[in-house]
Amino acid sequence: MGVLGGSGYVGGELIRLLLSHPEADLVFASSSRFKDEYVFRAHPNLRGLTQLKFTDESSIASSTPDVDLVFSALPHGESVKHLPSLVQTGVKIVDLSADFRLKDPAAYPKWYGYTHPHPELLERFVLSIPELNREEVGGVSLASSPGCMAIATILGVAPLLLSKSLKIDAGRIVVDLKVGSSGSGGRPSLATHFSERFGVVRAYKPVGHRHTAEIEQELSKFTNDGVKAYLSAHSVNMVRGILATIHLFVGDAVEPLEVWRAYRSAYTGKRFIRLVRDRKGVFRYPDPKLVIGSNYADIGFELEPGGGRIVVLVAIDNLVKGAAGNALQTMNIMLGLDEWLGLESAPLHPV
Ligand SMILES: NC(=O)c1ccc[n+]([C@@H]2O[C@H](COP(=O)([O-])OP(=O)(O)OC[C@H]3O[C@@H](n4cnc5c(N)ncnc54)[C@H](OP(=O)(O)O)[C@@H]3O)[C@@H](O)[C@H]2O)c1
């Protein structure tokens, strides 16, 4: 396997997971800043675990890499520069950037501010959330992994849209997101400077978040009604983790059993989904603190007394189920391996 963008936070998680994967060999990881330096210079947590050195991505993209699959953890706008030549080589690809997530080329100027230079490739990349489209992912050689907020939202909403008895208003899906600092990557900025970031509950994107596009695109597959999602994203005082609080509006009163039934019917046997709604203890609902370091998505809900609203709560680690873990799960499926290989470790607690 190879990792483009290996020096970033997502690249580091991919490398960490690949190093303990029983069937994977990490052949290269790219970085221009750390070119010819040991991987542990960028990821000191991997000290003693690999002697691999970073290579420059331009040299990898211009030759045929001797690997089964390449991950790209480059920023959007960068992935699209390097992946088209790799597609030509026939190597399998999982892209974690936004460059191949959207199907409509016109969405790129609107949401990402650039005209897509390879619109012909957009239909060839399958946006992978294995819990929802495993069969489709199994047959492809090009996949992309959704944004972390999109994964949390889509996992929480899709089963309820599929339910025949719940009449969810698909035109009014309201999502409040609380996101840890690693969600904005490893490059420092004034907004991520410790003195400015520590202790915040900062609404950094109360409207118009880019992940709206992929959420609406993917959720539209689960209903014939037009999907409209309204996202508000907040930076909170965590390094890892996302909590999505999703407000779904329903005309009639809903019984808890109907909601359970919808989730069970979608997720029974899906190893990385945990349905959470406890009567006792501190952690009665999903909490990012309980999924850190793991590929689990914890999903729970509560009903508005008197009806009208279902509040769905989804917690993931943005760097694992929200990025590297989902991508590795996708790789396993694309290569015909057990879906959970290399992803079985339990979350850390306390963190
Ligand atoms: N962070 C998350 O929670 C998360 C979740 C899901 C998806 N993603 C996506 O995953 C990708 C990587 O995210 P990240 O959080 O790992 O970001 P990051 O920490 O900033 O890492 C970016 C990586 O891309 C490389 N790179 C190459 N050209 C670059 C350029 N022009 N500007 C900046 N970096 C460049 C960087 O290494 P060198 O500069 O050394 O070459 C680095 O290895 C992004 O597309 C992001 O949207 C992130």
Side-chain angles (χ1 to χ4, degrees), residues 5 7-10 31-33 73-75 96-97 182 185-187 318 322:
S7 63
Y9 283 163
V10 171
S31 165
S32 44
R33 274 175 308 154
L74 295 168
L96 290 102
S97 84
S182 62
R187 292 248 167 161
N318 57 299

Side-chain angles (χ1 to χ4, degrees), residues 15-32:
I15 296 170
R16 179 178 74 85
L17 293 169
L18 286 166
L19 288 176
S20 56
H21 191 291
E23 300 286 339
D25 281 327
L26 179 62
V27 174
F28 69 80
S30 83
S31 165
S32 44

Side-chain angles (χ1 to χ4, degrees), residues 4-12 30-35 43 54 56-57 72-76 78-79 81-82 95-99 101 145-149 151 179-187 211 242 317-320 322-324:
L4 298 175
S7 63
Y9 283 163
V10 171
S30 83
S31 165
S32 44
R33 274 175 308 154
F34 291 88
K35 180 175 182 278
H43 306 301
F54 286 112
D56 191 26
E57 60 248 10
S72 173
L74 295 168
H76 68 263
E78 285 299 317
S79 233
K81 290 183 196 159
H82 297 285
D95 181 30
L96 290 102
S97 84
D99 283 345
R101 289 181 195 154
S145 191
C148 45
M149 295 183 224
I151 291 188
V179 186
S181 58
S182 62
S184 37
R187 292 248 167 161
H211 290 179
I242 292 185
D317 181 331
N318 57 299
L319 293 179
V320 190

Side-chain angles (χ1 to χ4, degrees), residues 200-277:
V200 296
V201 182
R202 180 186 297 147
Y204 76 89
K205 203 71 184 161
V207 296
H209 196 283
R210 287 165 165 162
H211 290 179
T212 308
E214 59 201 82
I215 289 169
E216 290 180 351
Q217 171 185 289
E218 294 306 300
L219 287 180
S220 298
K221 297 175 182 167
F222 298 92
T223 173
N224 294 325
D225 304 334
V227 173
K228 197 91 188 71
Y230 299 92
L231 273 59
S232 297
H234 305 81
S235 302
V236 297
N237 204 31
M238 320 185 276
V239 173
R240 286 175 183 243
I242 292 185
L243 180 70
T245 306
I246 305 164
H247 305 268
L248 297 172
F249 298 96
V250 283
D252 305 324
V254 168
E255 290 298 323
L257 201 61
E258 293 175 81
V259 183
W260 282 126
R261 202 176 286 131
Y263 281 127
R264 288 213 184 97
S265 121
Y267 293 143
T268 296
K270 307 288 163 69
R271 197 164 172 146
F272 298 118
I273 303 289
R274 301 191 299 191
L275 300 178
V276 177
R277 192 162 172 257

